[in-house]
Amino acid sequence: MESLSFRSGLVVGEWEMTATHATQIIDGYLKRLDSELSSIPTARRKELAAQIAEHIAQARQELPEETDADLLTILDRVGEPDEIAAEARASLDITTAKPGPLEIFALLLIGVGGVIFPVLPVAWVLGTGLVWRSRSWTPREKYFGAYLPLVLGLAILAISALASVIFGQHLLLDAALLGFLIANLLMPLGTASYLGARLGRRLPILAWAAIAIVALSVYLPAAAAFIPARASAFIGTPFGESGITQAGQPRCAGFYGSVRYANGLPIAATAPVSVGICWDGNTVTKSWGPDCYPSYGPALRVAVQSCTVESLPDGSMIISIQSSATATTAPFFTQSGGMGWLITPDGLITQL
Amino acid sequence: MHCMVRAEDRTGLIAQMRRGALEYCVLALLATRERYGFELVQNLAEVDGMVITEGTIYPLLTRLRKDGEVETFWRESSSGPPRRYYRITPPGREALKGFRSEWSRFRSAVDSLLGSGR
């Protein structure tokens, strides 16, 4: 009895049974069975699960009085879910092997490769090659989950590129861009998700965690390219007042502007600009700067293309910064932002 | 090359032999009368040497049904819910007949060879 209770991860201490407890044990078993059977085609899987459930129900009926131990004996005799699943694969001629590094790599190439290298679906093709080599997916899963989407994706890319050449930019959305989004990003992602789901719990939780970390570290910075950059600015005076000048008296302060990329995300990065300015009610003059030292995050690389200060004839000043943020893990995803501020002689800032 | 069987392959081989034979044992049991799953498993387990994990019978039954050698139907039970019964089909009987003659020839051949080496 010791070994029995251990195997099912239960401590058989209370011999009195409650209906819900019994249901929990059986449900837990059937759930494990269902996940082990994940590589079996749906119709057969359902049939098998139903048969086993019926078997257990009938075995329970035969019991004069039901105890935890009886229930565990029944489950023990029915066998471990992985054993039944192995038998099902063998007798239904579904030879799938336990997934390993090859499958993880295939999932990553397909699911993440398009983001890292979106020019041609090279990673997708390579990943599909690995799927072809793998023995962890059934031929059916490979066909519908890998080959067919790849052929469709390549067709979409070719057609959209052609349409873009023929119709040019006349379409509402450039056909090539649309094709790129669908065939280079969405379809591989969908494919990888499906293939991953088919592996299910056959892949250890640690492997899933690793995949999630890689995927997140690629997708998150790439997604940042779609978040509009946010600009803000203020004038910091040594006196704690801002923007007000006393007539005729020049006052000097620091102008601090910033362009924030991926604002709101933990990977946010900033392109700041700071200029020392003085104003006396008639003109704004520069005392130092401009300084533009971009912040470097692990996920986003911010580069400053230009950082200028320009004086206007009416005495105002324009401070502008042209910068861009590039996803470290997905160099093709870049967002650039040009931002300018007008400072009028009275010391007020207007964002341009 | 074929005779060089490693130890783990040998246990796999026996498992395969058992699996292959079990299929016909199931068909033979169903040839006498139709049975429901639980009953079938009990009948098989009663026979000494036919060690099986009960649950592994069902993938086999699924396969046999897929191949058209058995068919299933539901029947009311006097106690409890309706039961899924299994019945052998004409192709199943054919398969069983074929195996019966093959098996007795195979068994005597193996027996005589195994006996000669003593």
Side-chain angles (χ1 to χ4, degrees):
Chain A
M1 221 32 71
E2 256 331 278
S3 66
L4 260 183
S5 53
F6 243 57
R7 252 176 104 172
S8 303
L10 285 163
V11 181
V12 184
E14 295 166 34
W15 295 90
E16 285 300 311
M17 282 283 295
T18 57
T20 49
H21 192 190
T23 315
Q24 271 172 10
I25 296 176
I26 306 284
D27 280 358
Y29 177 87
L30 291 177
K31 231 175 240 158
R32 275 200 298 144
L33 180 68
D34 193 58
S35 90
E36 288 287 348
L37 289 175
S38 63
S39 61
I40 313 290
T42 315
R44 309 272 166 233
R45 189 177 80 224
K46 284 189 176 153
E47 182 182 338
L48 253 175
Q51 284 168 320
I52 304 273
E54 284 160 24
H55 179 98
I56 294 171
Q58 269 153 15
R60 281 176 74 185
Q61 250 182 33
E62 311 269 312
L63 295 174
E65 202 182 339
E66 197 171 72
T67 64
D68 264 9
D70 290 333
L71 220 49
L72 294 176
T73 309
I74 288 175
L75 295 185
D76 201 53
R77 290 182 57 171
V78 172
E80 286 294 306
D82 60 343
E83 206 179 331
I84 297 172
E87 189 64 34
R89 283 194 292 273
S91 65
L92 291 170
D93 218 13
I94 298 162
T95 43
T96 55
K98 206 168 167 55
L102 179 100
E103 285 72 25
I104 296 173
F105 207 56
L107 289 181
L108 285 178
L109 269 177
I110 298 174
V112 177
V115 179
I116 298 175
F117 186 74
V119 177
L120 283 170
V122 177
W124 192 6
V125 172
L126 287 178
T128 307
L130 291 186
V131 171
W132 175 68
R133 298 260 317 194
S134 167
R135 299 212 303 117
S136 295
W137 287 288
T138 63
R140 203 183 135 86
E141 286 166 350
K142 288 181 181 181
Y143 181 76
F144 287 107
Y147 307 151
L148 201 63
L150 179 65
V151 171
L152 274 175
L154 292 178
I156 289 175
L157 272 185
I159 292 169
S160 64
L162 201 67
S164 165
V165 167
I166 295 171
F167 301 112
Q169 302 286 332
H170 300 299
L171 293 175
L172 197 59
L173 187 61
D174 185 15
L177 180 67
L178 189 66
F180 160 81
L181 278 177
I182 294 174
N184 247 330
L185 300 177
L186 294 182
M187 287 186 68
L189 184 61
T191 296
S193 306
Y194 170 80
L195 290 174
R198 296 315 293 174
L199 292 184
R201 268 184 241 170
R202 283 189 288 151
L203 209 55
I205 193 90
L206 217 63
W208 279 123
I211 289 176
I213 289 171
V214 172
L216 211 66
S217 63
V218 171
Y219 284 121
L220 207 61
F226 294 96
I227 300 173
R230 215 189 59 149
S232 62
F234 67 94
I235 289 178
T237 65
F239 317 108
E241 312 153 41
S242 81
I244 304 150
T245 180
Q246 285 143 0
Q249 278 216 310
R251 169 168 290 182
C252 296
F255 167 90
Y256 302 96
S258 71
V259 181
R260 203 161 161 76
Y261 292 97
N263 189 48
L265 291 183
I267 57 164
T270 310
V273 51
S274 49
V275 184
I277 53 167
C278 295
W279 67 97
D280 59 6
N282 294 315
T283 46
V284 187
T285 50
K286 186 183 91 174
S287 62
W288 52 265
D291 291 334
C292 293
Y293 301 115
S295 80
Y296 274 71
L300 287 178
R301 266 203 330 272
V302 175
V304 174
Q305 281 83 39
S306 76
C307 178
T308 58
V309 169
E310 192 188 339
S311 294
L312 296 182
D314 69 346
S316 355
M317 180 186 267
I318 287 180
I319 296 169
S320 58
I321 178 171
Q322 178 75 40
S323 63
S324 62
T326 304
T328 321
T329 46
F332 286 85
F333 287 77
T334 295
Q335 191 187 139
S336 37
M339 209 57 77
W341 294 273
L342 175 78
I343 305 172
T344 45
D346 54 5
L348 288 174
I349 315 171
T350 319
Q351 193 176 309
L352 298 174
Chain B
M1 204 48 199
H2 284 281
C3 295
M4 289 165 69
V5 182
R6 283 173 296 133
E8 62 262 41
D9 287 348
R10 209 174 294 134
T11 54
L13 197 71
I14 291 183
Q16 265 182 343
M17 275 170 56
R18 183 173 287 139
R19 182 184 301 134
L22 187 61
E23 184 177 329
Y24 296 98
C25 297
V26 167
L27 284 178
L29 276 175
L30 292 178
T32 57
R33 66 179 165 83
E34 54 221 24
R35 289 160 212 258
Y36 61 97
F38 185 70
E39 183 188 11
L40 193 58
V41 170
Q42 302 288 84
N43 298 152
L44 282 168
E46 279 159 16
V47 183
D48 190 36
M50 206 69 234
V51 252
I52 51 154
T53 310
E54 293 180 354
T56 55
I57 289 295
Y58 292 99
L60 183 72
L61 285 168
T62 303
R63 220 281 307 286
L64 287 173
R65 197 171 85 98
K66 183 177 152 237
D67 294 348
E69 294 182 10
V70 303
E71 55 191 18
T72 58
F73 62 96
W74 291 91
R75 183 182 286 169
E76 293 296 330
S77 129
S78 51
S79 60
R83 287 166 176 164
R84 193 197 301 254
Y85 271 77
Y86 298 86
R87 177 164 53 206
I88 193 166
T89 62
R93 281 187 197 280
E94 277 304 305
L96 179 61
K97 209 174 116 190
F99 182 78
R100 271 213 177 100
S101 56
E102 275 304 312
W103 175 255
S104 52
R105 275 181 54 203
F106 177 69
R107 190 183 52 197
S108 36
V110 172
D111 279 352
S112 71
L113 285 170
L114 287 180
S116 69
R118 283 242 165 97

